[in-house]
Amino acid sequence: MSSPSNHYASLLKLCCENKDQSQLRKIHCLIIKTLTDPETFLSNCLVNCYSKVGNIKYARRLFDKMAQPNLFSWNTILSAYSKSGNLSEMNSVFHHMPFHDGVSWNLLISGHASHGSVNDAVKVYNLMLKDGLGNLSRITFSTMLIMSSSRRCVDLGRQIHGHVLKFGFGSYVFVGSPLVDMYAKLGLIYDAKRGFDELPERNIVMYNTMITGLLRCGLVEESRRLFRGIKDKDSISWTTMITGLMQNGLEREAIDFFREMRLEGLAMDQFTFGSVLTACGGLLALEEGKQIHAYIIRNDHKDNVFVGSALVDMYCKCKSIKYAESVFRTMARKNVVSWTAMLVGYGHNGCSEEAVKIFCNMQRNGIEPDDFTLGSVISSCANLASLEEGTQFHGRSLVTGLISFITVSNALVTFYGKCGNIEDSHRLFNEMNVRDEVSWTALVSGYAKFGKANETIDLFEKMLSHGLKPDEVTFIGVLSACSRAGLVEKGRHYFEIMVNEYGIRPIHDHYTCMIDILSRAGRLEEAKSFINKMPFPPDAIGWATLLSSCRIHGNVEIGKWAAESLLELDPYNPASYVLLSSIYASKGKWDHVSQLRRTMREKGVRKDPGCSWIKYKSRVHIFSADDWSSPYSDQIYAELEKLNHKMIKEGYVPELSSVLHDVELSEKIKMLNHHSEKLAIAFGLLFIPSGLPIRVVKNLRVCSDCHNATKYISKITQREILVRDAVRFHLFKNGECSCGDFW
């Protein structure tokens, strides 16, 4: 090899490493000018470089012009087609080769294994065996084992293992590592362990592979023993343990391993930091997370996009949204994972509007969302009950094709259910090609939220008949449906099978559903007995649920017990005071009501003010009781006055029990007439075009008078009115409500 060729080859190698096609062309021109007849070696270098920078077409043109291509030349162009996935050209080149060696066969197998079918790769492998065992190498078996693992071909993997032993490759570490990895990934951990134990020689790669397999299969104690037995652990060994412990729910131990790794003075990479920060997020360990953040800054990893994204995710999970925003703003580079971490963080921290905004900012920055990003922003729209934005994202999912991803489809089913469009939710569910437990649970919960108990139960039974296993969220949906329909025995049955058949340990939400089922049906003594038998006392929602039912049924004794229990748990929860006041007011015990109000003032307890909102022309209009802040107030109150006269003619009688003040009758009626949801409905009647439903959201449970009045309004105006309160959806149509007056 001449000195100029050697010099040019070095320059071409640099072009390959830097993927610099412009510089490559300049050097090529220089070669043409200075060398009249380049050596085959240099031509091979050019073909190899053009293929590696992605210009395979020009690489092929150079190859075709070579006067005397050697075996290396053929393998070079064969490698280009194999790696790019152009299988037809790869096969053509292979069949036109004057002869083949082991490299040629391995490239053909690799092309089919990576980009084609398992059958084609196996056919080539069998032809290779017929051509001569001398072609076999450790690369052959490594490729076949990796393919068996990725394509989950257990039988093929076992056959290749047999060939490894038969043809004398059992002692090769390069083959043993993918062999152990294959068995571990296929869940055959004891086969992996046997393969590992049979190896006469093991290096650190083998140990790390075996530890990964053990942790993946949940064998934590065995992985610990193996890890402690390694003499010369490297950074990958430690990172593997930290990651595996975190994935097995042992976040605290993962953090302890991270500390130990720091004391060893080993270098840490993005995977180490990513795993330990995920562990901190899982534990809500903010202080540890901050310490690791400081360590990242000191060791100059803060500009790594993977580490930055993990920091954003950790702070969001620790409810420190301001820290997350700070990290996000200062990231030098952001990818789709970074944007998605911030978006999901906003959603999980109740900042759904910010989640939608950051999605729009992401698009303005030229970052295309993936299925997880789009599913997350649709979920935020669901939390906002923002039908307009959500339907736009639905359209985007159709245009981009992301609707084919189950994460997006599930988010859309949930979104339409939460927005009260249960028919659209069910239609999307039916259009899904693949449905999982989340899909069924989303629809079950949607129908439950709408109070459609029979439909909820039918769906739940169909889910079981399809062989899908319900989780705790599914049971919350079906139990809440039973509570809202008064199906006491059904509720008992589902609670029992949840525990006994599906082995789900009830959490507070499940017990609250059962309290609701019994107490709503008027079985307050049974509800009390159920609470006394619970393994732990109800949470604030559970006590408030019982107290609310005591208000409905006028049970002062149990109501007082529930209120006292709630106050003991949460002394500043206004629900206990308000609901108990309601019970006393319904019994005419105004002195008790006054006493409760005095106690609230003394303790500084404030009731959340009721408010309702309605969206019109991309703007949200918010109303509170007796609110005159809207520029349309005169029109709204005039509309309410007209409606009130018409309702009275139809037989409407104000439910004065909804007023918790000892005032004159006329003042009580006035108070009822100006509740926030009535103001929002009047606004909708004035501005929402006829033919479109009026959609109102309220932050509290709708009162019985407003519920009754809205039925009359829907009948008088012949409009559909959808009210989403703190408990459920109410679809008012032709004087009836979808809840059947049971809420």
Side-chain angles (χ1 to χ4, degrees):
M1 183 174 63
S2 65
S3 181
S5 294
N6 192 26
H7 174 67
Y8 286 132
S10 299
L11 293 174
L12 290 171
K13 185 180 179 182
L14 284 173
C15 292
C16 282
E17 290 173 354
N18 297 323
K19 303 287 182 185
D20 191 342
Q21 190 165 177
S22 173
Q23 196 65 26
L24 172 59
R25 287 182 180 278
K26 290 176 184 177
I27 296 168
H28 189 187
C29 289
L30 196 59
I31 291 170
I32 293 170
K33 287 179 182 178
T34 57
L35 299 176
T36 53
D37 186 20
E39 296 177 54
T40 302
F41 157 76
L42 194 57
S43 296
N44 288 342
C45 285
L46 280 165
V47 171
N48 183 47
C49 281
Y50 275 111
S51 64
K52 283 187 175 178
V53 298
N55 197 340
I56 298 177
K57 189 175 181 181
Y58 198 77
R60 179 60 186 268
R61 193 185 302 173
L62 283 174
F63 172 79
D64 289 340
K65 287 181 179 179
M66 290 175 69
Q68 292 181 316
N70 58 20
L71 181 59
F72 189 88
S73 314
W74 284 97
N75 283 340
T76 300
I77 195 67
L78 183 67
S79 174
Y81 287 128
S82 173
K83 289 175 180 175
S84 68
N86 191 336
L87 301 185
S88 60
E89 286 296 329
M90 179 188 73
N91 289 329
S92 175
V93 167
F94 184 84
H95 290 304
H96 283 91
M97 290 175 70
F99 51 90
H100 311 113
D101 65 356
V103 174
S104 318
W105 285 104
N106 286 335
L107 288 168
L108 194 64
I109 291 170
S110 179
H112 285 296
S114 301
H115 305 286
S117 70
V118 173
N119 288 339
D120 288 337
V122 172
K123 283 178 185 176
V124 174
Y125 172 75
N126 288 329
L127 288 171
M128 181 184 187
L129 293 178
K130 288 180 181 178
D131 192 58
L133 298 181
N135 293 319
L136 291 172
S137 70
R138 58 184 189 168
I139 294 172
T140 314
F141 291 113
S142 176
T143 303
M144 292 299 291
L145 289 167
I146 291 169
M147 181 187 71
S148 301
S149 171
S150 63
R151 304 294 182 92
R152 305 198 65 77
C153 302
V154 178
D155 292 338
L156 175 62
R158 290 192 187 282
Q159 288 174 22
I160 299 300
H161 186 185
H163 283 188
V164 166
L165 299 174
K166 180 179 178 182
F167 299 125
F169 285 85
S171 61
Y172 283 74
V173 173
F174 188 86
V175 176
S177 187
L179 178 68
V180 170
D181 186 59
M182 175 200 71
Y183 280 127
K185 283 181 177 174
L186 293 173
L188 304 169
I189 192 61
Y190 293 106
D191 290 281
K193 200 169 182 305
R194 187 169 64 247
F196 177 82
D197 292 338
E198 288 173 355
L199 280 166
E201 186 181 331
R202 308 180 193 99
N203 62 10
I204 191 64
V205 176
M206 280 295 305
Y207 276 102
N208 292 342
T209 301
M210 190 66 230
I211 290 169
T212 301
L214 290 167
L215 288 166
R216 189 183 288 123
C217 295
L219 300 173
V220 177
E221 188 55 44
E222 289 193 40
S223 70
R224 283 196 201 99
R225 281 200 299 270
L226 188 61
F227 174 81
R228 296 300 180 191
I230 303 173
K231 290 182 179 178
D232 299 312
K233 306 175 186 71
D234 63 5
S235 295
I236 297 173
S237 313
W238 286 93
T239 300
T240 299
M241 282 301 297
I242 292 166
T243 304
L245 290 166
M246 181 271 297
Q247 290 172 344
N248 279 278
L250 299 168
E251 291 92 349
R252 176 54 60 192
E253 191 174 349
I255 295 171
D256 291 341
F257 261 76
F258 174 81
R259 289 197 182 102
E260 201 176 335
M261 182 181 179
R262 277 180 60 187
L263 293 173
E264 290 287 326
L266 291 165
M268 298 180 183
D269 61 12
Q270 60 184 25
F271 301 107
T272 317
F273 291 120
S275 295
V276 74
L277 287 169
T278 301
C280 290
L283 287 174
L284 306 182
L286 181 59
E287 289 309 311
E288 284 95 335
K290 285 181 180 179
Q291 291 168 16
I292 293 165
H293 187 183
Y295 183 80
I296 287 166
I297 294 169
R298 288 198 303 272
N299 288 272
D300 206 27
H301 284 278
K302 65 182 186 329
D303 292 330
N304 183 293
V305 67
F306 186 91
V307 174
S309 302
L311 279 166
V312 170
D313 179 66
M314 182 273 295
Y315 280 124
C316 287
K317 285 177 178 172
C318 291
K319 310 295 181 188
S320 297
I321 202 74
K322 294 298 179 187
Y323 282 110
E325 288 173 333
S326 176
V327 172
F328 183 77
R329 276 195 305 270
T330 56
M331 286 177 70
R333 186 169 65 88
K334 303 180 185 80
N335 60 13
V336 68
V337 177
S338 324
W339 287 93
T340 303
M342 195 69 244
L343 189 156
V344 172
Y346 276 132
H348 287 170
N349 283 277
C351 307
S352 296
E353 289 185 30
E354 285 79 1
V356 175
K357 285 177 187 174
I358 203 169
F359 181 87
C360 298
N361 288 339
M362 182 184 81
Q363 290 183 290
R364 280 194 287 270
N365 279 271
I367 305 292
E368 285 299 312
D370 59 15
D371 60 301
F372 188 66
T373 318
L374 191 57
S376 298
V377 76
I378 290 168
S379 296
S380 291
C381 291
N383 293 333
L384 290 169
S386 181
L387 190 63
E388 188 177 334
E389 282 90 353
T391 50
Q392 290 174 9
F393 293 130
H394 184 183
R396 182 177 179 82
S397 74
L398 292 167
V399 171
T400 58
L402 290 174
I403 196 168
S404 61
F405 288 87
I406 198 165
T407 47
V408 176
S409 295
N410 285 344
L412 283 167
V413 171
T414 303
F415 161 71
Y416 281 113
K418 285 190 174 181
C419 286
N421 285 29
I422 197 66
E423 293 83 5
D424 288 336
S425 179
H426 206 147
R427 177 179 56 78
L428 273 165
F429 176 85
N430 289 334
E431 290 172 358
M432 291 173 69
N433 293 323
V434 178
R435 305 181 192 99
D436 61 6
E437 288 85 352
V438 177
S439 319
W440 284 90
T441 297
L443 196 61
V444 165
S445 300
Y447 272 105
K449 191 80 174 173
F450 225 93
K452 294 182 177 287
N454 291 332
E455 290 87 342
T456 304
I457 291 167
D458 286 345
L459 273 170
F460 180 73
E461 294 294 345
K462 283 180 184 175
M463 177 182 179
L464 300 184
S465 68
H466 280 77
L468 293 168
K469 186 178 179 181
D471 62 11
E472 54 269 16
V473 180
T474 322
F475 276 105
I476 289 170
V478 76
L479 288 171
S480 63
C482 291
S483 75
R484 284 161 193 155
L487 301 175
V488 177
E489 296 312 316
K490 274 277 186 188
R492 287 187 197 274
H493 167 69
Y494 286 129
F495 187 85
E496 287 172 7
I497 66 167
M498 177 185 77
V499 177
N500 299 327
E501 289 187 26
Y502 293 98
I504 296 172
R505 182 179 295 176
I507 58 175
H508 275 115
D509 289 344
H510 299 116
Y511 284 112
T512 298
C513 285
M514 285 306 300
I515 294 167
D516 199 28
I517 287 171
L518 295 167
S519 61
R520 273 177 184 265
R523 301 188 184 186
L524 294 166
E525 288 294 341
E526 286 184 57
K528 184 178 179 181
S529 175
F530 179 82
I531 289 169
N532 288 328
K533 291 176 183 176
M534 283 170 56
F536 44 77
D539 59 8
I541 298 172
W543 287 117
T545 298
L546 178 63
L547 187 51
S548 177
S549 293
C550 290
R551 177 185 63 82
I552 293 168
H553 297 288
N555 191 313
V556 178
E557 183 187 346
I558 295 179
K560 192 175 179 183
W561 174 63
E564 288 170 353
S565 301
L566 180 54
L567 284 171
E568 186 179 337
L569 186 68
D570 186 0
Y572 296 96
N573 190 325
S576 53
Y577 297 97
V578 174
L579 291 169
L580 192 55
S581 291
S582 179
I583 295 172
Y584 286 140
S586 67
K587 300 293 185 183
K589 296 183 177 182
W590 297 109
D591 53 334
H592 289 71
V593 174
S594 299
Q595 178 60 45
L596 282 169
R597 288 204 175 118
R598 275 196 300 274
T599 305
M600 286 180 74
R601 283 194 299 271
E602 289 166 4
K603 290 187 175 182
V605 179
R606 290 182 174 275
K607 177 196 170 189
D608 293 330
C611 65
S612 302
W613 57 94
I614 184 169
K615 196 164 188 179
Y616 174 61
K617 288 189 175 179
S618 300
R619 186 183 163 194
V620 177
H621 298 262
I622 304 173
F623 300 92
S624 56
D626 208 22
D627 190 351
W628 285 86
S629 62
S630 171
Y632 308 104
S633 290
D634 289 338
Q635 294 165 265
I636 290 168
Y637 281 96
E639 180 69 17
L640 274 178
E641 194 64 30
K642 285 193 296 183
L643 284 170
N644 201 43
H645 286 305
K646 290 179 181 178
M647 287 193 298
I648 289 170
K649 285 183 180 179
E650 289 287 331
Y652 163 72
V653 177
E655 294 193 26
L656 301 179
S657 61
S658 297
V659 181
L660 305 183
H661 297 273
D662 187 16
V663 294
E664 295 294 328
L665 180 63
S666 59
E667 188 62 25
K668 286 187 177 183
I669 293 171
K670 182 183 175 184
M671 289 173 129
L672 289 174
N673 287 344
H674 299 166
H675 275 192
S676 65
E677 52 265 63
K678 289 180 181 175
L679 296 175
I681 290 168
F683 177 91
L685 290 169
L686 287 168
F687 295 103
I688 304 294
S690 59
L692 293 177
I694 295 168
R695 298 174 177 274
V696 173
V697 182
K698 183 169 182 179
N699 66 328
L700 304 175
R701 188 188 296 230
V702 67
C703 77
S704 56
D705 179 74
C706 286
H707 188 273
N708 189 34
T710 308
K711 290 197 294 182
Y712 278 99
I713 293 170
S714 70
K715 182 179 179 182
I716 292 164
T717 61
Q718 287 298 295
R719 297 289 297 269
E720 282 190 19
I721 303 170
L722 184 70
V723 178
R724 174 181 169 180
D725 70 6
V727 178
R728 55 168 302 158
F729 281 104
H730 302 267
L731 178 60
F732 298 93
K733 187 176 179 181
N734 295 324
E736 295 181 350
C737 179
S738 58
C739 74
D741 298 338
F742 196 93
W743 84 104

